[in-house]
Amino acid sequence: MVLCPVIGKLLHKRVVLASASPRRQEILSNAGLRFEVVPSRFKEKLDKASFATPYEYAMETAKQKALEVATRMHQKDLRTPDVVIGADTIVTVGGLILEKPVDKQDAYRMLSRLSGKEHSVFTGVAIVHCSSNDRQLHTRVSEFYEETTVKFSELSEELLWEYIHSGEPMDKAGGYGIQALGGMLVESVHGDFLNVVGFPLNHFCKQLVELYYPPRPEDLRQPVQHDCIPAVDTFEDLSDVEGGGSEPAQRETGSRDEKAEVGAAGQATAEAECHRTRATLPPFPTRLLELLDGFKLSKALLTACKLKVFDWLKREAPQKAPDIASKVDASACGTEKLLDVCAAMGLLEKTEQGYSNTETANLYLASDSEYSLHGFMLQNDDVIWNLFTYLEFAIREGRNQHHRVLGKKVEDLFQDAYYRSPETQLRFMQAMHGVAKLTARQVATAFDLSRFSSACDMGGCTGALARELAREYPRLQVTVFDLPDVVELAVHFQPAGPQAAQIHFAAGDFFRDPLPSAELYVLCRILHNWSDDKVHKLLSKVAESCKPGAGLLLVETLLDEEKREAQGGLIQSLNMLVQTEGRQRSRGEYQCLLELHGFHQVQVVHLEGVLDAMLATRVAP
Ligand SMILES: Cc1cn([C@H]2C[C@H](O)[C@@H](COP(=O)(O)OP(=O)(O)OP(=O)(O)O)O2)c(=O)[nH]c1=O
């Protein structure tokens, strides 16, 4: 349902939200607006000192965000959008502008400044109307801002750090989210709540009314309430379908009533019918259709990785589609389609000269990059994709689907001959190595582990985490304990360096063989692979090997207790179902498991991305 009728004016236009903010997407789609999301690449680095007021800074940033998207979409040979919406939210306190914190310390500085005080939240919004003439982009910008004042309670150091460790502050202006946990910090709010969350919906609707229905001369002679959103019957023509143009409607001379009178009665009835249908039209299911297309986008990404498109473009760019096609041994027409989709997904840049990698592709998709996820992509393409085609069976049967993919029974995924063949094994290790490298630093620094002098990383694979632990704690000796064939290949992943002397590999099966002795045991993304029985078995083995005071560092994606949030965690649950015999668990479930095996003083830190780290201490039995 579209409550604000002027939103209906935009229903048949190509509207783009130039924002990656999930809050803005939610607010606007809840209001019934249909739009595509194209996050802006505009770097928010305008010189704040050159603006007389903070809201001018926010409006200019919003405008630049929207214009960058309008220009990029126009240049990319995609259809020029009709309307692009950009927004920027800032927090101001004591003359300072606070944007998103860059790290936890920055969040701490921001939140301590806000503690016990009143501050302002400004959101600048730009509505850019676009048109294209002779391949030239023409834009008309309408901007406004909204201010809301928020008062924080006095925040204790403890509460402040607990909030920061929740991870919530990092993508939010001022370092807090009023709509979630951050709501607990707030004593009072004066003004539009949604403005704080990132988008002043009420003011936006009023702005659309002004744009699409500027007051008629006769209205100006009568006292009018300027700050209200008119009711539905104020407008007769909400559809604007045939016009379909990108410009806001201009009021013609003569009222709409006059126009209706001159038309034939039959036509008037048909139009009325048409308007009724428009008014009751449900919101366009954009998000639903995007979800539907999700698997096609994933497959396009995986195929481009498999064909090593990003490797070729890292070596030489820009290149035209036929040149890339001949290098990757594929058809020119197919390659061009794939490259265009990659460009639309923001993985490639497309210009007159050809295609080039974006920074994301160079960093993560080229196979030789330091933080390459290429192996992880191939693992998803070759193994996980196939397993997910049997999701329906996995749901019905409540178990993994290797038997369907391989056509034979698989007793233990980690010991099976197919998965242990050197080629599949290496690909699996490359996949794990990519993911581990990306997250190892956060895991190693989540807690102060300096009291331990030895650690055992159970199932530590290529030693990527061991390396970060060794780098962070120079007196720590780390043993990577994994299956013999893994240990044999791990040497290929270990670069020389000062940490090499701190890292040792030990071959064995952690269910059957004695564990290497250590003061700290690490189980990073291990337990989710196993059933409750096996988790108990493993934890009791670890507990037996621990002296009182020893630590257990557990890293998993934790589900919330109601299993409602953490989309990443919930997807992982399905992933575990189709792939393993294990499952994702909640913080409470892990806490119980740990305590049952004599590990107490459990601390939890949410890491950037989807992982959570838990540190527990073994107490005397
Ligand atoms: C103060 C506050 C901000 N925020 C969010 C709104 C914005 O998403 C974010 C401020 O950063 P912005 O730079 O305005 O927006 P963004 O980076 O999230 O998205 P984009 O630039 O792509 O449009 O902070 C909350 O969600 N809750 C709050 O209480």
Side-chain angles (χ1 to χ4, degrees):
M1 189 170 66
V2 181
L3 269 188
C4 172
V6 75
I7 293 269
K9 271 287 187 190
L10 297 177
L11 284 185
H12 303 281
K13 295 184 193 294
R14 189 180 192 203
V15 179
V16 171
L17 175 64
S19 172
S21 161
R23 281 78 54 174
R24 291 189 183 123
Q25 293 166 27
E26 197 183 338
I27 293 170
L28 284 170
S29 52
N30 282 347
L33 189 72
R34 292 179 201 165
F35 55 90
E36 294 161 44
V37 175
V38 180
S40 180
R41 295 187 196 153
F42 174 74
K43 301 259 179 290
E44 298 176 36
K45 280 195 179 143
L46 295 175
D47 177 15
K48 297 187 183 70
S50 64
F51 295 88
T53 57
Y55 58 80
E56 283 170 81
Y57 167 78
M59 284 199 295
E60 184 60 28
T61 308
K63 181 167 103 184
Q64 294 304 333
K65 285 184 188 181
L67 286 176
E68 186 280 322
V69 167
T71 316
R72 180 154 42 98
M73 291 187 77
H74 174 74
Q75 279 169 356
K76 273 199 167 167
D77 247 347
L78 299 168
R79 196 158 66 85
T80 308
D82 295 321
V83 179
V84 181
I85 302 164
D88 190 61
T89 302
I90 54 169
V91 165
T92 65
V93 62
L96 262 183
I97 294 182
L98 309 181
E99 294 179 284
K100 286 168 290 191
V102 290
D103 55 24
K104 287 182 175 177
Q105 280 304 332
D106 199 24
Y108 174 78
R109 278 190 291 275
M110 290 185 181
L111 290 166
S112 16
R113 244 180 236 284
L114 301 178
S115 172
K117 286 203 223 77
E118 193 168 77
H119 63 268
S120 287
V121 182
F122 290 98
T123 299
V125 177
I127 307 169
V128 177
H129 285 88
C130 310
S131 57
S132 162
N133 200 344
D134 286 341
R135 298 182 67 89
Q136 287 283 314
L137 174 69
H138 300 278
T139 54
R140 252 176 58 192
V141 183
S142 155
E143 314 160 83
F144 68 91
Y145 75 93
E146 182 69 33
E147 176 178 5
T148 305
T149 44
V150 178
K151 179 155 191 276
F152 266 28
S153 306
E154 293 285 350
L155 311 178
S156 68
E157 286 285 299
E158 200 190 351
L159 176 72
L160 221 153
W161 277 112
E162 201 180 329
Y163 181 53
I164 292 171
H165 288 319
S166 76
E168 190 177 284
M170 299 319 294
D171 64 341
K172 305 194 179 65
Y176 73 95
I178 197 167
Q179 68 276 28
L181 271 183
M184 289 193 301
L185 319 177
V186 172
E187 212 166 84
S188 64
V189 179
H190 188 76
D192 182 356
F193 180 84
L194 291 184
N195 182 49
V196 185
V197 184
F199 201 83
L201 182 63
N202 184 276
H203 197 154
F204 175 70
C205 291
K206 286 173 189 158
Q207 191 77 11
L208 290 183
V209 170
E210 261 180 42
L211 282 171
Y212 286 90
Y213 301 99
R216 296 170 291 197
E218 58 269 37
D219 291 340
L220 293 175
R221 286 194 291 273
Q222 291 165 15
V224 229
Q225 234 185 309
H226 276 294
D227 67 342
C228 70
I229 301 167
V232 179
D233 60 4
T234 311
F235 315 115
E236 289 203 343
D237 183 1
L238 297 177
S239 60
D240 202 27
V241 194
E242 286 77 28
S246 56
E247 295 298 298
Q250 302 293 320
R251 225 171 242 293
E252 291 167 0
T253 28
S255 72
R256 278 142 208 276
D257 290 355
E258 283 164 20
K259 276 207 276 173
E261 274 165 24
V262 294
Q267 194 186 334
T269 321
E271 275 178 18
E273 190 54 42
C274 171
H275 296 156
R276 229 188 329 275
T277 324
R278 298 264 174 257
T280 52
L281 202 64
F284 193 76
T286 309
R287 168 96 179 113
L288 196 64
L289 297 178
E290 278 170 7
L291 287 175
L292 174 68
D293 270 344
F295 81 95
K296 299 171 198 162
L297 296 178
S298 298
K299 192 65 182 174
L301 162 66
L302 300 178
T303 304
C305 285
K306 191 161 194 166
L307 293 176
K308 297 207 164 186
V309 164
F310 306 106
D311 283 6
W312 286 107
L313 287 172
K314 191 178 172 197
R315 254 169 257 164
E316 187 192 331
Q319 291 192 57
K320 301 262 191 205
D323 299 329
I324 303 173
S326 70
K327 284 179 182 133
V328 303
D329 197 18
S331 72
C333 69
T335 305
E336 182 166 7
K337 289 189 171 67
L338 181 67
L339 296 175
D340 282 342
V341 170
C342 288
M345 287 195 287
L347 306 174
L348 295 178
E349 293 280 359
K350 183 184 179 186
T351 61
E352 303 257 297
Q353 287 73 43
Y355 300 88
S356 327
N357 279 352
T358 56
E359 210 180 312
T360 307
N362 272 336
L363 263 175
Y364 303 115
L365 301 177
S367 61
D368 61 353
S369 304
E370 187 180 357
Y371 292 99
S372 177
L373 291 174
H374 187 259
F376 190 47
M377 298 286 161
L378 297 192
Q379 172 75 3
N380 272 272
D381 196 36
D382 290 345
V383 179
I384 303 172
W385 181 271
N386 293 336
L387 289 166
F388 262 86
T389 52
Y390 294 105
L391 181 62
E392 181 191 336
F393 290 96
I395 305 284
R396 286 186 193 283
E397 297 164 5
R399 64 181 178 131
N400 71 50
Q401 293 297 307
H402 295 282
H403 57 293
R404 283 209 161 71
V405 171
L406 300 181
K408 67 176 182 97
K409 215 170 163 207
V410 177
E411 290 295 348
D412 181 342
L413 164 66
F414 293 94
Q415 308 269 9
D416 178 77
Y418 169 77
Y419 292 114
R420 289 303 107 187
S421 74
E423 191 197 342
T424 353
Q425 169 83 304
L426 195 64
R427 190 187 52 216
F428 175 73
M429 288 177 72
Q430 276 161 346
M432 293 305 105
H433 189 67
V435 176
K437 275 200 85 168
L438 211 59
T439 50
R441 180 138 199 86
Q442 290 184 52
V443 173
T445 55
F447 303 99
D448 178 6
L449 305 173
S450 56
R451 67 176 189 274
F452 303 111
S453 62
S454 59
C456 172
D457 186 7
M458 312 256 290
C461 201
T462 64
L465 175 57
R467 201 170 174 80
E468 271 313 317
L469 285 167
R471 197 198 309 269
E472 191 63 29
Y473 305 101
R475 63 171 206 103
L476 187 71
Q477 293 293 319
V478 192
T479 306
V480 178
F481 187 59
D482 214 316
L483 293 166
D485 49 357
V486 175
V487 169
E488 204 179 304
L489 290 174
V491 46
H492 300 300
F493 295 85
Q494 278 298 307
Q499 285 79 39
Q502 288 170 259
I503 303 169
H504 319 276
F505 283 82
D509 176 338
F510 50 47
F511 285 115
R512 295 197 196 113
D513 299 319
L515 305 182
S517 72
E519 290 175 9
L520 172 73
Y521 285 87
V522 182
L523 284 166
C524 182
R525 300 171 76 236
I526 298 294
L527 296 187
H528 66 184
N529 291 317
W530 304 107
S531 63
D532 290 351
D533 280 356
K534 289 208 175 146
V535 166
H536 281 300
K537 194 169 170 190
L538 202 50
L539 287 178
S540 72
K541 276 194 81 175
V542 174
E544 272 168 31
S545 310
C546 283
K547 296 201 177 83
L552 174 55
L553 177 62
L554 197 64
V555 182
E556 291 290 345
T557 298
L558 299 182
L559 297 175
D560 64 299
E561 301 302 329
E562 279 83 34
K563 301 192 175 58
R564 285 201 196 126
E565 296 155 21
Q567 197 192 9
L570 298 176
I571 292 281
Q572 271 295 95
S573 279
L574 282 185
N575 202 14
M576 291 301 116
L577 174 70
V578 298
Q579 280 200 67
T580 69
E581 54 187 82
R583 64 191 180 89
Q584 294 304 113
R585 296 175 178 87
S586 70
R587 172 185 178 152
E589 284 176 295
Y590 276 118
Q591 181 137 4
C592 281
L593 281 168
L594 289 171
E595 288 177 357
L596 205 71
H597 291 279
F599 291 97
H600 292 265
Q601 299 157 23
V602 182
Q603 305 168 58
V604 185
V605 169
H606 177 66
L607 310 177
E608 224 178 292
V610 292
L611 289 181
D612 300 273
M614 303 177 91
L615 180 66
T617 305
R618 177 80 167 113
V619 293

